């Protein structure tokens, strides 16, 4: 069914979350068995509060995440999405991920709602540096300001332009495919609702149930994203 919808749709949006990258070896946040939040408290580590008041733990958490990211690569699922984009089967990728794997796999036209873990920037002068600085224990800008990861922390707003573009895509979509998101993070989780309200078919591919499952036209819970995309790719 999904392969038919992909062929028929004139504007398809793929909306990815951390579950898109677990097959690359990057843990997500909320998977029951392996998510990072099982053992750590997000408000303690990935928040503006932590950056200001709990800096050692904040740094250790992001050093761990950046180091893990640098050891991982995009998987076949990312490559298939890049090919589908080239073939005109999907028109926009919107991601909550900060790994930039879609671009690394060859996708263009990717909206990163939550920023990127590939760079850090100065919280004073905004000068940007490669995220490797964190692994090299360099946390200070030439101006003396603190270097922070270029991701959206809990307590911060999403980049205005990215969210605006994503909203426009939601209004335009006639097929919206969620891949690997618990759909619990706001306001990103308002986008699939907006797309559905605008008349799009909603497909949710996620190992565990999500709060939007009742809205879905097609729900796939029992498949890994990489395998599922390979199967659909062979049918196209
Ligand atoms: P989440 O952790 O809340 O949910 C991920 C979902 O993916 C889970 O419900 C899980 O059941 C499902 N899943 C995991 N592996 C899967 C697979 N192989 N196939 C199908 N489903 C799978 O993630 P979220 O909804 O993206 O929200 C969390 C926030 O975490 C985002 O804002 C993002 O910035 C951040 N994050 C990003 C990364 C990354 O960039 N790779 C990693 C961890 C967290």
């Amino acid at each position: 069914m999904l392969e038919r919808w992909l062929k028929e749709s004139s504007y398809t949006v793929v909306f990815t979350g951390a579950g898109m990258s677990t097959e690359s070896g990057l843990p997500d946040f909320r998977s029951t068995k392996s998510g990072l939040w099982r053992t750590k408290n997000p408000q303690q580590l990935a928040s503006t509060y932590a950056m200001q008041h709990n800096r050692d733990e904040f740094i250790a958490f992001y050093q761990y995440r950046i180091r893990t990211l640098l050891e991982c690569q995009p998987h076949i699922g990312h490559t298939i999405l890049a090919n589908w984009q080239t073939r005109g089967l999907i028109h926009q990728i919107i991601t909550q991920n900060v790994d930039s794997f879609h671009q690394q796999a060859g996708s263009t036209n990717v909206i990163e709602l939550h920023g990127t873990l590939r760079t850090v920037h100065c919280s004073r002068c905004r000068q940007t540096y490669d995220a490797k600085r964190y692994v090299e224990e360099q946390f200070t800008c030439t101006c003396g300001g603190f270097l922070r990861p270029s991701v959206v922390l809990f307590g911060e707003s999403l980049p205005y332009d990215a969210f605006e573009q994503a909203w426009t895509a939601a209004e335009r979509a006639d097929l919206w495919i969620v891949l690997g998101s618990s759909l619990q993070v706001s306001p990103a989780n308002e986008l699939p609702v907006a797309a559905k309200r605008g008349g799009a078919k909603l497909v949710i591919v996620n190992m565990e149930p999500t709060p939007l499952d009742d809205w879905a036209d097609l729900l796939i819970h029992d498949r890994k994203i990489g395998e599922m995309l390979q199967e659909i790719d062979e049918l196209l």
Side-chain angles (χ1 to χ4, degrees), residues 94-214:
I94 302 174
T95 190
Q96 298 167 87
N97 292 343
V98 291
D99 51 43
S100 301
F101 279 166
H102 290 300
Q103 294 94 319
Q104 225 180 307
S107 285
T108 51
N109 203 11
V110 179
I111 299 175
E112 289 182 314
L113 289 176
H114 294 160
T116 177
L117 211 49
R118 298 272 166 192
T119 60
V120 296
H121 67 266
C122 177
S123 42
R124 193 186 290 167
C125 73
R126 301 198 66 81
Q127 169 77 35
T128 298
Y129 299 88
D130 194 297
K132 281 187 191 134
R133 289 222 155 200
Y134 253 53
V135 181
E136 292 159 358
E137 308 272 336
Q138 293 178 48
F139 312 112
T140 311
C141 180
T142 46
C143 80
F146 175 63
L147 295 181
R148 54 156 294 173
S150 304
V151 298
V152 176
L153 300 172
F154 286 95
E156 291 179 324
S157 308
L158 268 56
Y160 181 82
D161 288 352
F163 195 67
E164 190 76 359
Q165 277 177 42
W167 198 262
T168 304
E171 287 174 339
R172 193 174 163 194
D174 48 26
L175 178 60
W176 184 282
I177 305 172
V178 176
L179 297 178
S181 174
S182 64
L183 297 174
Q184 288 180 33
V185 177
S186 173
N189 63 359
E190 292 166 19
L191 292 163
V193 175
K196 178 75 185 171
R197 285 212 172 102
K201 286 193 181 74
L202 177 61
V203 178
I204 299 179
V205 184
N206 201 62
M207 283 287 187
E208 290 164 17
T210 83
L212 298 189
D213 284 2
D214 288 346

Side-chain angles (χ1 to χ4, degrees), residues 4-13 88-89 91 173-175:
R4 182 162 53 81
W5 288 355
L6 276 164
K7 285 182 193 159
E8 287 171 1
S9 163
S10 57
Y11 196 81
T12 296
V13 176
L89 289 162
H91 306 88
D174 48 26
L175 178 60

